[in-house]
Amino acid sequence: MSVLTPSAARPQRWRPVFGYWLTAYKRTWRGSIFGRFLSPLLFLLSMGLGLGSLVNRSAGGVDGVPYLQFVVPGILAAQAMWVAMGESTYQVLGAIRWQMQYHAMLATPIGVDDLLLGHLTYVAAQVTSATVIFMAVAACFGAWASWWVLLALPVTLLTGMAFAVPIFAFSAKQESDSGFNILFRFIITPLFLFSGTFFPVSQLPVWLRPVAWVTPLWHGVEANRSLALGAPDALAVLGHTAYLLVFIATGAWVARRTFRGRLVT
């Protein structure tokens, strides 16, 4: 059996879990969609065009690439990280401690694996929709140099899930939301700033570069940038993708154990 699979006898048990979260989302989707159009627009105007014009004039871009085309693939990956965090923190803790949806689901034939798979599938759908919107808005600004960027969609999805799955495990261990402040301030925000999103990791101090290299965000940023610039290094992209898959599989194993320990008595 794989790390995270639904019941072999009734493999559709995860679908009602996915359906529940999707039904709940239908109440708030308008504001969510508006924000997902507005976020890339603001990033493109401020970082890509505003700061980018200064970088292009003073330094000729980054490694000969216009700053807009350099930074947008990184922001695409970083947005997946932010969406994954938003969907994997308060919702998970709330389903355990506050609204207790997980407990209600487990009172039915749904098992822990079904619960995890259904909820993570919903998170994957959210990351995918946010990524598609970002890519479409960025295309209007000429941010993509090649059609290879379409392959950045699955890479970005994997980047988001590489955060979502272990954060599920982290959230399931919390007794209050205070731990999310630590996660946001000391892990997610530094990764956003120092994983190659806005400037090459080679500009970091030598001792800090390996820290960036082991993070899933750096792998997502590098793979996206290679694809978006139109001359992808196939072996490098495959290597980054493999790293993300291993990270997800490891996180799924930890999440499964954590959920069982927290929810099964």
Side-chain angles (χ1 to χ4, degrees):
M1 182 178 290
S2 62
V3 174
L4 184 61
T5 59
S7 170
R10 296 182 181 178
Q12 284 77 32
R13 285 179 177 172
W14 65 271
R15 293 184 180 179
V17 180
F18 172 75
Y20 166 80
W21 293 109
L22 188 62
T23 300
Y25 177 67
K26 290 179 181 178
R27 301 177 180 178
T28 60
W29 70 270
R30 291 178 179 84
S32 173
I33 294 297
F34 176 76
R36 287 176 183 174
F37 274 101
L38 184 62
S39 177
L41 183 62
L42 293 177
F43 267 119
L44 288 163
L45 291 175
S46 60
M47 301 300 298
L49 298 181
L51 178 62
S53 62
L54 298 176
V55 174
N56 292 337
R57 283 201 302 267
S58 61
V62 179
D63 297 329
V65 177
Y67 190 67
L68 177 67
Q69 294 181 357
F70 174 85
V71 75
V72 170
I75 296 176
L76 180 68
Q79 180 193 243
M81 175 184 71
W82 287 110
V83 172
M85 179 185 173
E87 297 291 342
S88 306
T89 47
Y90 287 94
Q91 283 193 10
V92 173
L93 182 58
I96 294 173
R97 285 192 56 83
W98 303 322
Q99 291 80 34
M100 302 181 74
Q101 295 99 321
Y102 286 164
H103 299 277
M105 293 174 184
L106 290 175
T108 72
I110 291 172
V112 170
D113 286 0
D114 307 306
L115 185 152
L116 268 172
L117 183 60
H119 199 169
L120 286 169
T121 301
Y122 167 78
V123 174
Q126 291 292 331
V127 173
T128 300
S129 67
T131 301
V132 170
I133 291 171
F134 192 109
M135 293 176 71
V137 173
C140 297
F141 286 79
W144 311 124
S146 168
W147 286 101
W148 280 105
V149 74
L150 294 176
L151 293 180
L153 175 59
V155 172
T156 303
L157 172 60
L158 292 178
T159 303
M161 298 311 294
F163 284 93
V165 180
I167 291 176
F168 260 61
F170 174 82
S171 299
K173 296 285 288 184
Q174 304 306 301
E175 296 296 334
S176 71
D177 61 355
S178 60
F180 298 149
N181 295 326
I182 297 173
L183 179 67
F184 171 79
R185 293 176 182 175
F186 297 109
I187 297 179
I188 301 298
T189 299
L191 288 184
F192 181 55
L193 298 175
F194 302 117
S195 290
T197 305
F198 300 105
F199 55 87
V201 169
S202 59
Q203 295 183 7
L204 291 173
V206 174
W207 63 269
L208 192 55
R209 295 174 195 172
V211 178
W213 294 337
V214 299
T215 64
L217 182 57
W218 179 79
H219 290 273
V221 168
E222 288 296 304
N224 278 0
R225 188 166 287 144
S226 179
L227 291 165
L229 293 178
D233 182 335
L235 287 178
V237 172
L238 288 174
H240 294 309
T241 302
Y243 185 90
L244 294 172
L245 288 170
V246 170
F247 209 92
I248 291 169
T250 304
W253 180 80
V254 175
R256 186 171 184 261
R257 289 178 60 88
T258 303
F259 268 61
R260 284 189 175 276
R262 186 69 186 267
L263 296 172
V264 179
T265 57

